[in-house]
Each structure stands twice: as structure tokens, then as C-alpha cells.
Amino acid sequence: MTVPKTADAPYESPRPPRIFGPEYRTASLGILLVITLIAFEGMSVSTVMPAVSEDLDALDLYGASLSAFLIACLLANVVAGLWSDRRGYVWPFLLGVGLFTAGMAMAGAAGSKELFIVARVVQGLGGGAVIVAIYVMIARVYVPATRPRVFAALSAAWVLPAVVGPGLTGLIAETVGWRWVFYGIVPLVVPALVMLLPALRVGGDTPAPTLSTGPRSRPLAMTLAATATACGAGILLYGVSHLHDTPVPGGIATVAGLAALLAGLPRLLPPRALRFGRGLPTTIMMRGVFASAFFGVNAFIPLFLTEVHDFSVAGAGVALTLGALGWSTGSYLQTRRSYDRPLLVRIGATAITAGILMTLLALVPEVGGWVTVPAWVVAGFGMGIGMTSVNVTAMHQSPDAEQGANSAALQVVDTLGSGITIGVGGGLINLIGHDDIAAGYATIVVLMAFIGLFGMLVAQRMRDIP
């Protein structure tokens, strides 16, 4: 008898295999190394951008590199998901690793800002494909009872880069130059591929047992929708970032980008996703809700602490570092036994909302900026138990033929959610906080708290209709 894939079905077996036991050890280590490299790249770029901008004489690299990576990543998410469902995850994974590695080498060798932007595009294509292929790999290689532990390990793989990445990257940039931050990652790809060979050999080059015939299985339509969504997101972010200095062109770009985004996005998601339909549609959307609320504040905590409370850059980074540790702790705790996943997601949304609102206490002079440290540990804990539970539930609810498409959908809403709220936050800082950073930050916090509250209210819709 086949057990239906619902959010309420059990996730445990009497004795689930260990992810570092003989059966999964090399695959788990390979996956974690790949994710760690991608995480380190993400942490490194923000740290070395001042040096890159000065060397290449291009202060506009900040926004352009974000938009270029975002557009490429969105497109790769969808194409890799289609490919994984129809042909297996091996080639999307290998091509993604190859592109990511090539992009790192190109960034290190870039002699102009144009070449650096091209390198960011190549990195986005590779990173987007790799993440989706790894999700499908987890769904097809690991038994369901083991998947929560794998996703928890993925969260933990971001902790080391978050803790040591900025400092190590700064040291490398100051001693041998920023280019070696990118060059140094390239040779580390080889051991990751060697360790993943067993997982790539076991069924990774075969399609799902039953191919989907739904609208998200049509390559041309999905590619066009992904292109519209990615370009729309890029134009929207450009428009929002220029509303303060060129209101009319910025407004036109914002409206045009939003229109393109809304034209393409629904075709990339399960039916009824934008209406938060019960079951899988809401599960997918909760990933975007979490990313929007958390990263919409996370991006501006260093600015707030350095500008309002005169923190050093290193001191401001403490809150983000400990937030990553809270995330890892939450991910670990959700592996201890079988849980009601929608309930965990609601608890996670509650913790994120509470952590976001706690940061407002830093506006009180008598409290000070250090209150953001425990606040962000709480918010990170919510991300750990919530995001991991969303991932586990999405794979559990996905038919085999749609694992790639739904993995791509998770990444799309995550990238869009964080990218758009960060972009909107930047616009608010320019409009409201140009002369008063505290007021701009407070506005961002309130808006992101509303998103977290919305997540608390809709989390139970992850349950399938009885």
C-alpha cells in the first residue's frame, strides 16, 4: 500500500539510517562541502565588494552584482528543476558545479566591472542549478525519515562560512588580494565531486518513475516564464533603488518589473500557490514568507548598528553570526523526533516575528544596540526549525515526477522574497532614512513583522485537505 504524501504523514521509521553512517557518509560529506563552498562565496562577495569596487573603479557594482546573480539564479532554478524531473539530477548538478567554478575563476580574473558582472551571472547559473539538483538528490537518495537530518545539516553548513567567512575573506583580501578569495574556492570543488560519485551513480541519471504532464512540465513555457520572472525581478529592484533620485523613471521601471514578475511567477509555482491554497501550495509559499521577513531585516542590522549606535563593522557582525548559530540550533532540534511539521512552521514564524520586533528595543537609548544579539538568535532559531520543516514537508508532499519543479519553486520564492524585501528596504532607507537611519530601520522592521505575522496565521494551511 502506498502512503499518501501529506504534511501529516509520519517522517520516521523504527531505526532511520544515520546520514554519516556507511550508507550515506560520502554523499552527505560531498553535499555539505558543496553547500559550504556556495555559502562561503555568498559571504565573501559582500565582504570584498569595497575592494572590488575600488580596484575596478565601479561603485555601482553592489546593486548590479546582486541583480545579475538574482536573475541568473532564478533562471537556473527552473531549468535545473525541469531537467532533473525529465532526465535525472546528474547533469544539472555537474553542469551547475562547472558553471559555479568557472564563475569563481572568471571573477578572480576580471579586469573590468563588465567582466565581473558576467562572472556573477555565471556563478548564479551554477549555484541555482546546484541547489535544485541537490534537493532532488536528497529526495531520491535518502529515505524520508532521514531527510530532516540532511536538511538540518545543510543549515549547519552555512554556519562555518557565516562565522569565519567575513574575517577570513578580509584577511585574504588585505594580504594577497581580493582575487584570491575567488581563486581559492576553485580547487575545493574536486574533493566534493569525488565524494558525490556514489550518489551520482545510483539512479541520478534517470527521470522520475512517472513524468509529469502538467503545465510545469513544458520546457519552453517554463523557460519563458522563468525569463519573465527573473527579468521582472531585476527591473523591479532597479526601479525601487532609483525611486529616491529619479522618481519618474524609477516608478516606471518598478511598475514594468512588477508586471513582468506577475506574468511569469504563477507559472513557476504549483496551482493556487499565490492564493495560499491548502497543502503543497502553502508549503512552497511559506519558504518565501520566511525569507522575506528574516532577510528583509537581516540586511539592515549592520547599517543600523554602525550608523545609529556607532558599532564597528566587526561588532555589528556579531548579531548576524549568532543568528546563524541560532538557525543551526533550530535545525538540529527538529531532527530529534517526529514532529507535526505545520506546527513547527508556525512556531518558527512566531520566533522570527518575535526576534524582529525585539530589535526595536535597540531604538531605546537605555537599552542599546546589543539587544539585537539575543533578538537575532531568536529569529535565527525560528528560521532553523521553520525553513527546515518547510523543505522536508515540500519534498514529502511532492509527487516523484514534480520533485525538481517543486525544488525549483522553493528556491524561486526564497530568492524573490529576500531579494525584493531587501530592495524595498533599501528604497525605504533612501526615502525615509536618508537623514534618519533609525526611522527608516523602524519602518522596515514593522513591515517585516507584518509578514512574519501573516506566516503565523497561514502556516496551518500547509495541511492537506482531509
Side-chain angles (χ1 to χ4, degrees):
M1 181 178 68
T2 301
V3 177
K5 293 187 173 185
T6 70
D8 306 308
Y11 291 89
E12 63 178 358
S13 62
R15 193 181 294 275
R18 293 177 294 117
I19 64 172
F20 295 111
E23 184 177 357
Y24 296 130
R25 183 181 298 119
T26 55
S28 298
L29 290 173
I31 289 173
L32 292 182
L33 181 54
V34 170
I35 296 297
T36 299
L37 295 179
I38 293 176
F40 187 81
E41 183 271 342
M43 300 294 176
S44 301
V45 168
S46 60
T47 303
V48 301
M49 281 309 298
V52 176
S53 298
E54 181 179 357
D55 191 25
L56 300 182
D57 192 23
L59 291 177
D60 58 341
L61 274 180
Y62 285 87
S65 64
L66 171 64
S67 297
F69 188 89
L70 168 68
I71 292 171
C73 194
L74 282 175
L75 186 61
N77 288 157
V78 176
V79 174
L82 280 167
W83 198 347
S84 296
D85 283 337
R86 299 174 71 87
R87 295 288 184 267
Y89 56 77
V90 169
W91 286 109
F93 176 79
L94 292 177
L95 182 60
V97 169
L99 287 172
F100 178 76
T101 306
M104 298 301 289
M106 290 170 62
S112 67
K113 70 175 183 179
E114 291 79 12
L115 289 177
F116 188 82
I117 295 299
V118 171
R120 289 291 287 158
V121 170
V122 176
Q123 289 170 24
L125 290 172
V130 166
I131 294 294
V132 171
I134 282 179
Y135 273 41
V136 178
M137 188 187 303
I138 291 171
R140 296 186 185 173
V141 172
Y142 295 84
V143 297
T146 306
R147 292 174 197 162
R149 299 178 183 179
V150 183
F151 283 116
L154 293 190
S155 296
W158 285 83
V159 173
L160 182 62
V163 173
V164 306
L168 179 60
T169 299
L171 178 63
I172 294 172
E174 291 176 359
T175 53
V176 296
W178 64 266
R179 297 180 186 277
W180 286 96
V181 172
F182 296 97
Y183 287 146
I185 293 177
V186 174
L188 297 178
V189 172
V190 176
L193 287 177
V194 172
M195 286 185 284
L196 278 171
L197 285 178
L200 296 175
R201 289 171 180 162
V202 181
D205 57 350
T206 58
T210 303
L211 290 178
S212 174
T213 57
R216 290 193 296 157
S217 66
R218 301 166 187 167
L220 178 59
M222 287 289 283
T223 302
L224 291 175
T227 302
T229 302
C231 292
I235 296 170
L236 174 63
L237 290 175
Y238 174 85
V240 168
S241 67
H242 286 78
L243 283 174
H244 69 290
D245 54 0
T246 55
V248 175
I252 293 174
T254 299
V255 172
L258 185 61
L261 182 63
L262 293 178
L265 181 59
R267 292 168 172 79
L268 306 181
L269 306 177
R272 302 178 294 110
L274 294 180
R275 291 181 288 164
F276 285 80
R278 283 194 174 276
L280 180 63
T282 293
T283 301
I284 296 291
M285 292 301 294
M286 285 302 298
R287 174 78 174 256
V289 170
F290 274 53
S292 299
F294 182 85
F295 291 109
V297 176
N298 187 80
F300 299 100
I301 286 178
L303 176 67
F304 171 66
L305 292 178
T306 54
E307 294 294 327
V308 176
H309 290 283
D310 296 323
F311 276 41
S312 66
V313 174
V318 171
L320 305 189
T321 298
L322 294 182
L325 295 177
W327 189 326
S328 179
T329 301
S331 296
Y332 170 75
L333 290 179
Q334 61 81 40
T335 68
R336 302 309 298 159
R337 61 184 179 86
S338 179
Y339 289 100
D340 179 341
R341 293 287 163 180
L343 177 60
L344 276 191
V345 172
R346 172 175 278 185
I347 293 172
T350 303
I352 292 170
T353 306
I356 289 172
L357 291 174
M358 283 173 63
T359 67
L360 286 176
L361 294 174
L363 295 170
V364 181
E366 293 77 12
V367 176
W370 285 110
V371 73
T372 57
V373 173
W376 224 234
V377 171
V378 172
F381 178 83
M383 288 292 281
I385 62 172
M387 286 280 268
T388 305
S389 293
V390 165
N391 295 338
V392 171
T393 305
M395 292 298 96
H396 199 70
Q397 292 175 325
S398 298
D400 291 340
E402 296 179 4
Q403 289 168 342
N406 290 333
S407 296
L410 287 170
Q411 295 301 318
V412 166
V413 296
D414 185 311
T415 304
L416 280 177
S418 57
I420 290 175
T421 53
I422 291 172
V424 170
L428 288 172
I429 288 293
N430 289 325
L431 288 172
I432 302 173
H434 190 269
D435 298 316
D436 188 353
I437 294 294
Y441 177 78
T443 304
I444 292 170
V445 166
V446 171
L447 290 176
M448 297 308 112
F450 273 114
I451 295 176
L453 178 62
F454 176 77
M456 293 166 54
L457 296 175
V458 301
Q460 292 302 309
R461 294 184 64 81
M462 290 171 56
R463 301 183 190 279
D464 291 288
I465 300 173

